[in-house]
Amino acid sequence: MNVSDYDFDLPESLIAQTPLPERTASRLLVLDKASGSVEHRVFTDLESYLKPGDTLVLNDTRVLPARLFGVKADTGAKAELLLLKRLEGDRWEALVRPGKKLHKGATILFGARDLSEGAEPAKPLLTAVVEESGEMGARIVRFEYDGIFHELLDRLGQMPLPPYIKETLPDRERYQTVYSRNEGSAAAPTAGLHFTEAFLKKLQSSGVKLCPITLHVGLGTFRPVSADTIEEHEMHEEWYSVSEESAKMLTEARAGGGRIVAVGTTSARTLETIGQRFKEGPIEACSGWTNIFIYPGYCFTLVDALLTNFHLPRSTLVMLVSALAGRDNVLNAYREAIAKEYRFFSFGDAMFIT
């Protein structure tokens, strides 16, 4: 299959640069995957499409303030790291800039203070040493520091907003879901940004079950599909985890006939990873790495419905939603969303595929 089959023209003016003041104020396009019919609603209407016994699966990952700005120790030139995933101890996989000048042995200083002439150099708060090259142009770096790493990261790091967002974000929490718990992502699971705690409680009171799982969003979020055909593309691995309680909820949902509704493509990929792992038997608590790539022709094992945002042209995410709802249905819905000026991407409006 050609990647170009998932291309479409999107006016730049429809790329949402800032979140709406109220999380639940976004619009909702509802796509019936069987008929291809489309309805235009508001996000809080989602309640009317969910039924008692449905299980809403939420990715509770939390975004790290993972973008670090520093200087090269030898030249003082500016350097930047974007942390992608922790490997072990204080070693991380990261994107670096400038990539051509940050090779093995390069040292980057963060939080170094300017001192008056003649004073002894101050020890930086954080030091990163490039140890080797990683996948897809990334680097493996080792950090040196005194104190607690995550406290230093919170002090020095900035929220890693996607490159298509040019505006600054005054409130970091607006790029976190209200149910984020487990820190480790390089990007937010943005379909969940529409929920408030009050709306989630309202859904629960109507009989909808909330099931948290974790997938730490990594390098794949920042990499476009460069291959000409879908089959040539390789997904980057991401860490997932499912607790014993959540595994039980999913097993009961599958056995009891209620729908499993994934909130976001990250939840969908995690669900399908464990669905393949446990086949027809009961789902068990588990964790590990997944590089599952879902595109048309894939047979879903757990996901019955999907809440998602509107995605980039030619992206693996458009391919995933097309696997669930059909390419023609999805692209027709996207054309209608563009015509009606829906907001696209991370801070944009939502789509419910039912």
Side-chain angles (χ1 to χ4, degrees):
M1 284 182 281
N2 293 324
V3 173
S4 59
D5 291 339
Y6 297 85
D7 201 0
F8 56 90
D9 293 323
L10 178 70
E12 189 173 347
S13 61
L14 297 186
I15 300 174
Q17 292 296 315
T18 56
L20 297 173
E22 173 57 41
R23 289 178 183 262
T24 57
S26 53
R27 298 162 73 185
L28 179 70
L29 185 149
V30 181
L31 172 62
D32 186 305
K33 63 179 182 284
S35 67
S37 64
V38 167
E39 296 179 63
H40 301 284
R41 308 294 290 267
V42 295
F43 184 75
T44 49
D45 289 337
L46 177 66
E47 183 182 9
S48 65
Y49 291 93
L50 298 175
K51 306 170 186 175
D54 284 349
T55 299
L56 204 61
V57 181
L58 310 168
N59 182 5
D60 66 2
T61 189
R62 187 166 175 82
V63 185
L64 291 165
R67 192 178 295 278
L68 290 163
F69 295 93
V71 296
K72 290 187 65 181
D74 54 352
T75 66
K78 292 181 180 180
E80 178 184 341
L81 292 186
L82 175 59
L83 304 184
L84 296 171
K85 65 181 181 183
R86 192 171 201 157
L87 301 176
E88 70 282 329
D90 291 315
R91 298 177 75 243
W92 287 73
E93 183 178 47
L95 295 178
V96 300
R97 186 182 295 176
K100 293 182 179 180
K101 296 184 178 181
L102 292 172
H103 299 295
K104 184 177 179 179
T107 300
I108 309 166
L109 310 179
F110 304 97
R113 296 184 297 276
D114 292 330
L115 296 178
S116 59
E117 186 176 350
E120 289 294 322
K123 184 178 180 181
L125 296 174
L126 191 64
T127 299
V129 179
V130 179
E131 292 193 332
E132 59 184 282
S133 295
E135 298 179 36
M136 302 181 188
R139 301 286 191 275
I140 308 302
V141 302
R142 174 177 47 80
F143 285 102
E144 300 171 356
Y145 55 92
D146 292 324
I148 300 173
F149 179 77
H150 282 282
E151 289 183 359
L152 291 172
L153 194 61
D154 192 58
R155 177 176 174 181
L156 298 171
Q158 295 185 17
M159 200 58 74
L161 295 177
Y164 48 76
I165 293 179
K166 311 302 180 185
E167 299 291 331
T168 57
L169 186 66
D171 180 9
R172 280 187 182 185
E173 286 303 306
R174 201 56 184 83
Y175 193 57
Q176 305 278 14
T177 64
V178 296
Y179 47 80
S180 63
R181 297 291 182 272
N182 296 309
E183 204 165 49
S185 272
T190 54
L193 296 178
H194 303 282
F195 289 98
T196 61
E197 291 180 359
F199 187 56
L200 287 170
K201 288 179 180 178
K202 188 176 182 182
L203 294 178
Q204 279 186 296
S205 67
S206 67
V208 175
K209 301 174 183 178
L210 305 183
C211 176
I213 59 175
T214 304
L215 183 132
H216 292 321
V217 187
L219 182 63
T221 297
F222 299 93
R223 294 296 189 192
V225 178
S226 56
D228 292 327
T229 63
I230 292 175
E231 292 81 0
E232 294 175 279
H233 180 70
E234 293 185 12
M235 296 287 285
H236 195 77
E237 285 190 327
E238 295 169 313
W239 176 261
Y240 73 93
S241 178
V242 180
S243 69
E244 186 173 339
E245 182 180 356
S246 293
K248 182 180 178 181
M249 289 180 67
L250 292 171
T251 298
E252 291 174 350
R254 185 159 67 174
R259 292 183 305 170
I260 296 177
V261 181
V263 175
T265 55
T266 60
S267 294
R269 293 180 65 244
T270 307
L271 286 167
E272 291 306 307
T273 296
I274 62 176
Q276 290 187 7
R277 181 169 176 172
F278 295 105
K279 305 296 182 183
E280 300 298 325
I283 296 166
E284 300 175 9
C286 58
S287 61
W289 296 94
T290 181
N291 63 351
I292 189 170
F293 184 13
I294 299 173
Y295 54 85
Y298 178 85
C299 294
F300 284 83
T301 61
L302 285 180
V303 175
D304 298 306
L306 173 67
L307 178 73
T308 185
N309 281 13
F310 293 93
H311 303 294
L312 281 73
R314 302 170 66 99
S315 66
T316 60
L317 306 182
V318 169
M319 297 167 195
L320 185 154
V321 297
S322 296
L324 183 63
R327 171 184 169 274
D328 289 344
N329 287 345
V330 169
L331 292 183
N332 285 338
Y334 270 50
R335 280 191 286 270
E336 194 160 333
I338 291 168
K340 292 186 177 294
E341 298 186 338
Y342 275 68
R343 291 156 49 91
F344 272 64
F345 304 165
S346 297
F347 290 138
D349 294 313
M351 169 189 276
F352 184 52
I353 299 174
T354 183

